[in-house]
Amino acid sequence: MKHLERHLTVSKKLLAALPAILLLNIASLPGKGLGYVFSGGGARGFAQLGMLKVLEEEGVYPDHVMGSSMGSILGGLYSLGYTAAEVESLMVTLEYSDIIDERQHRPDLYPGDRRWPSYGNLRLALSPKGMPQAPAGLLSGAKIDLGLAKLFMPASAHRDFSKLPINFAGLTIDLHTGQLVLHREGSLGQAVRGAASIPAIIAPFTYDGRTHIDGGLLQNLPVPQLIDLGADKILALKINTSMRGANPRNFYEVLNHILNIAMHTSIDANVELCDLILEPDLKGVGNLDYPNAHAIARIGEDYARKNVEVIRAFRESLLAEGYVFTKPERIAELTSVPVREIVTKGNRRVPAARIIALSGLREDVEYHQDDIVKACVHVWNSCDFHTVYPVLEPLESGYRLVLYVREREPRYLHLNTSYSSDERFSLGAVAEFNDIFMPDSRLLAGFTLGGRNELNLDFVKNFGDFHAPYLRLYPYLRQSTALRYNEAGQRTASLDSLEYGVVHGLGFFADKLFSLEAFGYFSQAKSYAKIPSGTPSSAWQKDAGLGLKIYHESLDNDVFPRSGACFFAKTNIAPRSNLSSKNYARLTADLDVYAHLARKVSLRAGFAYGSHFGGLADNATDLISFGGAEAFSGYQKDESPSAEYKYGTLSAVFEPLSNIFLETGAQALNTAGNSDWSLDGSLLFSYYASLGFRSPAGPLGVKFALREDGKANFFFNIGYTTDLFWFSRK
């Protein structure tokens, strides 16, 4: 009897606890919960944030999120507990114009790289056998890697995505197998980064031994994967480009349309699995309309407000079925990062110790996340890597900092076509070899045909990155044309010359301060006249001597600068008659300073000087040319050379629109000699105005100059016309 009573008592307790047990079992059943599926579509994805704002206002929050392409990035941020407005604010910090500009900025280059100017309309990597290779994408993804690494750094401690405020999974495609890859753990930043690799546009993303591209090609609305994640009710935020009436007209539109064809096969099938679809009208909104992000988000918000009754009805139906909406708690911000270990991944040629040294980061130091990102940028500016980005892996008391890198190829081919009023049409090619023959070395081997014909080999061996000596060996063969003018400025002769020689130097660079090089040179040259015809050729002339040059550059850009300074001075002395046909001692110097006066206006002040020193016999006949578009524009190149000159430049530089430059100013020239520095009648004034455009393929410029005596000069150039080897020459 007591046993029966005890049994009944236990049974009553079990019955009382049964509802709780059932609720626990239901809550733990797979596939229970509301899931948001984000679709891909580039900048159109911002419309999804607008719709989320209205869903939040109506108290609807998901248990699971997932997306493809841009939707994966937005979904990843939303899974951290950010509101839609906060996600929008974070995303607009990724400046679109900055993301697509993957060139190192001139002031950020290491000192060894500033010895060569910008060059080449096209650069192609070379295979070990010397075959040109097309890039894996129009963009390497360098800025995207860094931007996403920074955005998702606060989630570094959360390696299991199911334990995020909202359950999340990333979706990519393994490029080699074609299989979909579901990312449920690891680095959240890496999980969503692969989804940003749009084929042919952004290079594939490699990590964990796989090469990833955008999963949206196979599942642009990944509903089946969201169901596998645990959702049994699906709300789709659909912003895909419509296939109707598409008429692609250029390369990008054709490629985008082909990708859309592949995507829509899965989209149409997955729509049937959704319980509610929110799809705003985004006609006229392109995938690349990132500058209009806020306006696109507003389109999505307006659409959701117009359909708020549909949203409310969906909410009420879920509540009736027992769903509970809970606002997720945002993860804590990462105010400081205690770095206990630093390692590298992805490097093959560059030692890990060098990468870590270039970053300037140290173990057992606390850093702000911005400091870590800046350190990665500093490593990237070495020009040794396509991409450099950080990943934090949690340890018991801090983080392991992993610097992921993708090395640049050591061999490149630079192709350049240009036209200028001075040298007409030129075609050039330069092969670049980095660290092939010696560590920390560079060999440039190139030719130019057209306005000048030449072969150049420039080999430099550096003994450090920022404060270090270097060696240079520069042999060359050059055929060029010099023009001769009469006093009226009319061309009277055209002289061709053939010259071969070698320059060897020992230098030292001191980071952003200066580069100093002592050099010796030997050459032989022979000239002959094309106009007038019949003029006999000259005998071979020897030129041998010693020199010293110093260079400083802090310009924001070496083509159309707006700020900074540039100074170059060089002395040459050829004192030995048995080594040189002429005995001379020469000094030339150029200084230009640019200072911002306003956001779009800068002031330029410049001074150029050329003269001789000492009493060597041929100083007076060693004439120096100083005319041309980039020099004293009152004279054409080679017009009125002088044994001594000095001129000043004062101008205003405007940038009314991005990459469009206007400059207007005056120059004053004095060729009366070192004894005359007066500012009176010995000066020749010239006034000029120029227009320039900086394009991805190279600069374009026109310039008009008018001397005070009424003589006008016109200059035109397209492409990179600056001599790549100007610093290396004697």
Side-chain angles (χ1 to χ4, degrees):
M1 187 64 137
K2 290 182 179 179
H3 175 76
L4 181 60
E5 289 177 355
R6 187 163 53 250
H7 179 74
L8 290 172
T9 302
V10 172
S11 299
K12 290 178 181 179
K13 290 181 178 178
L14 285 173
L15 288 172
L18 186 59
I21 294 172
L22 289 173
L23 285 175
L24 287 173
N25 287 334
I26 291 173
S28 62
L29 284 175
K32 179 66 177 177
L34 172 63
Y36 283 0
V37 59
F38 293 74
S39 52
R44 297 163 64 93
F46 281 94
Q48 297 174 117
L49 299 178
M51 292 185 281
L52 286 177
K53 292 176 184 178
V54 178
L55 288 166
E56 290 171 355
E57 291 175 7
E58 296 301 319
V60 182
Y61 295 95
D63 303 291
H64 316 277
V65 294
M66 194 172 179
S68 64
S69 192
M70 172 62 84
S72 185
I73 298 172
L74 298 178
L77 287 172
Y78 201 61
S79 73
L80 301 181
Y82 292 116
T83 66
E86 289 170 335
V87 173
E88 182 179 346
S89 297
L90 289 169
M91 286 298 296
V92 296
T93 63
L94 298 175
E95 289 285 348
Y96 172 70
S97 59
D98 184 54
I99 285 176
I100 65 174
D101 182 7
E102 295 187 333
R103 300 169 297 175
Q104 276 85 7
H105 294 163
R106 188 77 183 175
D108 298 327
L109 291 176
Y110 286 16
D113 292 314
R114 287 198 295 271
R115 292 170 294 191
W116 292 280
S118 300
Y119 178 84
N121 316 116
L122 179 65
R123 183 177 72 170
L124 296 172
L126 295 176
S127 70
K129 294 183 179 180
M131 297 299 295
Q133 298 176 316
L138 296 178
L139 299 177
S140 70
K143 300 290 185 70
I144 298 174
D145 291 352
L146 272 174
L148 294 181
K150 181 179 179 180
L151 284 182
F152 287 95
M153 201 175 288
S156 298
H158 302 268
R159 305 289 289 184
D160 183 350
F161 302 162
S162 67
K163 291 182 169 54
L164 291 170
I166 304 175
N167 186 19
F168 174 79
L171 184 68
T172 61
I173 298 172
D174 186 318
L175 181 62
H176 300 299
T177 66
Q179 295 177 333
L180 284 169
V181 180
L182 204 63
H183 304 269
R184 303 192 65 172
E185 61 183 11
S187 164
L188 185 58
Q190 288 179 312
V192 302
R193 168 58 185 89
S197 289
I198 305 170
I201 304 297
I202 301 173
F205 182 70
T206 301
Y207 86 103
D208 281 351
R210 285 177 157 180
T211 302
H212 303 267
I213 59 174
D214 179 15
L217 293 174
L218 297 179
Q219 288 289 347
N220 198 261
L221 199 68
V223 179
Q225 290 72 28
L226 185 59
I227 294 173
D228 291 342
L229 195 63
D232 67 341
K233 294 291 183 180
I234 306 297
L235 190 157
L237 304 171
K238 188 172 180 295
I239 47 87
N240 312 93
T241 305
S242 173
M243 298 291 295
R244 297 175 183 175
N247 182 28
R249 291 164 293 180
N250 55 46
F251 168 80
Y252 170 75
E253 290 180 354
V254 170
L255 178 61
N256 189 56
H257 190 63
I258 292 172
L259 296 177
N260 283 333
I261 292 173
M263 293 175 184
H264 271 268
T265 301
S266 66
I267 292 173
D268 294 340
N270 292 345
V271 161
E272 302 299 324
L273 303 175
C274 299
D275 296 282
L276 176 63
I277 299 173
L278 299 180
E279 185 177 13
D281 183 3
L282 295 174
K283 185 178 180 180
V285 178
N287 291 359
L288 299 180
D289 285 343
Y290 290 98
N292 299 318
H294 290 300
I296 297 171
R298 187 55 187 266
I299 292 173
E301 183 179 350
D302 291 344
Y303 164 82
R305 294 197 185 284
K306 290 178 182 178
N307 293 272
V308 70
E309 294 303 326
V310 176
I311 294 172
R312 288 171 180 169
F314 179 68
R315 177 193 64 195
E316 296 305 317
S317 69
L318 294 182
L319 290 173
E321 293 182 37
Y323 285 81
V324 177
F325 302 119
T326 304
K327 182 178 181 180
E329 184 177 347
R330 193 176 75 181
I331 64 170
E333 293 295 328
L334 197 61
T335 54
S336 65
V337 182
V339 175
R340 303 303 177 210
E341 298 177 18
I342 305 177
V343 299
T344 64
K345 288 188 178 180
N347 52 307
R348 302 184 309 276
R349 294 182 298 104
V350 184
R354 181 170 186 267
I355 297 172
I356 296 171
L358 292 178
S359 74
L361 300 173
R362 294 176 297 160
E363 295 179 347
D364 295 319
V365 176
E366 290 198 7
Y367 293 99
H368 189 274
Q369 62 181 24
D370 289 342
D371 298 327
I372 295 175
V373 171
K374 288 177 182 177
C376 290
V377 173
H378 193 255
V379 177
W380 180 67
N381 283 326
S382 68
C383 299
D384 289 334
F385 307 98
H386 285 293
T387 64
V388 183
Y389 69 92
V391 169
L392 296 176
E393 297 178 352
L395 301 173
E396 288 186 5
S397 61
Y399 290 91
R400 176 187 298 113
L401 171 60
V402 184
L403 300 177
Y404 280 84
V405 303
R406 182 158 61 91
E407 294 175 343
R408 287 185 185 273
E409 295 74 7
R411 306 167 185 86
Y412 279 95
L413 176 65
H414 303 260
L415 301 175
N416 188 61
T417 56
S418 63
Y419 177 89
S420 71
S421 306
D422 295 333
E423 296 185 338
R424 306 303 177 186
F425 178 79
S426 292
L427 171 66
V430 174
E432 175 186 342
F433 303 92
N434 294 298
D435 307 326
I436 298 294
F437 303 100
M438 298 177 69
D440 297 322
S441 69
R442 176 175 295 179
L443 172 65
L444 299 178
F447 72 85
T448 302
L449 300 174
R452 64 178 187 275
N453 301 305
E454 58 185 27
L455 296 173
N456 297 282
L457 286 175
D458 194 5
F459 178 78
V460 174
K461 161 63 180 173
N462 296 325
F463 294 92
D465 292 300
F466 303 106
H467 300 85
Y470 67 89
L471 295 174
R472 179 190 302 280
L473 183 64
Y474 171 62
Y476 64 93
L477 172 65
R478 177 172 181 153
Q479 182 272 326
S480 59
T481 300
L483 302 176
R484 294 293 178 259
Y485 296 79
N486 58 23
E487 293 184 357
Q490 299 170 329
R491 295 181 182 179
T492 58
S494 175
L495 303 176
D496 276 1
S497 65
L498 179 65
E499 179 182 352
Y500 65 89
V502 62
V503 181
H504 48 87
L506 171 63
F508 179 85
F509 50 75
D511 199 7
K512 298 182 181 296
L513 297 178
F514 64 84
S515 292
L516 179 69
E517 182 178 319
F519 62 96
Y521 57 94
F522 173 80
S523 67
Q524 290 207 98
K526 183 178 183 179
S527 62
Y528 51 93
K530 289 196 300 185
I531 302 173
S533 59
T535 305
S537 302
S538 68
W540 285 100
Q541 302 289 312
K542 297 183 295 183
D543 187 18
L546 300 173
L548 181 70
K549 49 193 168 188
I550 185 171
Y551 180 58
H552 164 82
E553 183 195 312
S554 56
L555 299 174
D556 61 338
N557 191 285
D558 63 328
V559 179
F560 296 114
R562 286 277 319 279
S563 64
C566 181
F567 173 73
F568 179 69
K570 179 168 65 174
T571 62
N572 298 69
I573 182 168
R576 301 289 297 275
S577 298
N578 59 334
L579 296 177
S580 187
S581 301
K582 279 188 175 184
N583 303 130
Y584 60 88
R586 181 194 313 138
L587 169 64
T588 56
D590 287 276
L591 171 66
D592 271 303
V593 178
Y594 295 81
H596 280 296
L597 295 181
R599 190 169 65 91
K600 294 181 178 294
V601 183
S602 297
L603 178 69
R604 174 193 176 190
F607 180 75
Y609 177 81
S611 185
H612 297 86
F613 55 92
L616 294 179
D618 296 305
N619 278 349
T621 59
D622 178 39
L623 303 182
I624 310 170
S625 294
F626 53 85
E630 301 302 320
F632 181 73
S633 53
Y635 287 129
Q636 295 283 348
K637 181 186 175 186
D638 300 325
E639 183 181 358
S640 192
S642 175
E644 296 176 324
Y645 72 88
K646 44 188 174 290
Y647 66 85
T649 302
L650 186 65
S651 68
V653 183
F654 308 87
E655 189 178 4
L657 298 172
S658 178
N659 294 317
I660 294 179
F661 301 87
L662 301 172
E663 182 176 357
T664 180
Q667 295 178 299
L669 170 69
N670 184 327
T671 57
N674 280 329
S675 60
D676 186 354
W677 290 79
S678 61
L679 302 177
D680 52 17
S682 58
L683 295 180
L684 174 65
F685 284 91
S686 177
Y687 308 92
Y688 69 89
S690 65
L691 171 66
F693 173 63
R694 186 166 58 210
S695 76
L700 182 149
V702 293
K703 189 173 189 177
F704 177 78
L706 181 65
R707 285 204 316 254
E708 63 176 320
D709 59 6
K711 178 68 168 62
N713 287 321
F714 179 78
F715 304 92
F716 174 75
N717 71 274
I718 183 169
Y720 292 98
T721 57
T722 304
D723 179 10
L724 177 63
F725 301 97
W726 73 270
F727 185 84
S728 308
R729 299 192 187 279
K730 65 182 181 180

